[in-house]
Amino acid sequence: MDQRTTDELLAGLEHVRSSPPDGGTVELIVRRPAVDLRELLDEGDLDTDVGLVGDRWHLGSSPTNDSQLTVMNARLAQLIASDRQHWALAGDQLYVDLDLSMENLPAGTRLSLGDAVIEVSDVPHTGCAKYSARFGTVALKFVNKSPGRELRLRGLNARVVEPGRVRVGDTISKLER
């Protein structure tokens, strides 16, 4: 897979920033049943105990209820991975067309998607060695440093507060506090 240069990432940043602040869509659902295994789903069930049913999150070394799911901006996934089939390599479960910035979605914000409701965590979601190996050191620095961190370009952590089914194409909307 081709890795993006800093100039390519910066050139695509405005498109990512123009993601809708509300009323976006679920673009991809990915279940990770085992290490390095990805299943692209048309729909999935979100559960308050295990996050995405069938995903290995709850079997990890230090799962917390504040980070049951990771949500990534689909426009950023497209920017770093190009081919939609490679988006899942980022390791997130939900890829959405929505502004995930801290300003738009502060910790505690609740989002409805499909029949479920999730809550944005204050636990940061950052890139790791696997992310760097798959998308490059340039991409890792791009998402982990300013303004990438404030824009949550690497994505956000969330917990399930109301279980339910979510489908690709579902609207994702902010709920009143």
Side-chain angles (χ1 to χ4, degrees), residues 119-137:
E119 183 176 276
V120 175
S121 171
D122 63 352
V123 176
H125 182 37
T126 56
C128 62
K130 286 183 179 182
Y131 189 91
S132 180
R134 293 171 180 154
F135 303 111
T137 304

Side-chain angles (χ1 to χ4, degrees), residues 37-55:
L37 183 61
R38 308 284 191 265
E39 297 174 344
L40 305 182
L41 306 174
D42 292 326
E43 60 183 40
D45 291 313
L46 300 183
D47 179 83
T48 56
D49 291 325
V50 299
L52 177 62
V53 173
D55 190 79

Side-chain angles (χ1 to χ4, degrees), residues 32 49-52 54-69 93:
R32 306 160 311 152
D49 291 325
V50 299
L52 177 62
D55 190 79
R56 67 177 170 78
W57 166 85
H58 66 287
L59 302 174
S61 60
S62 58
T64 69
N65 282 341
D66 288 335
S67 57
Q68 293 175 316
L69 296 169
Q93 294 99 349

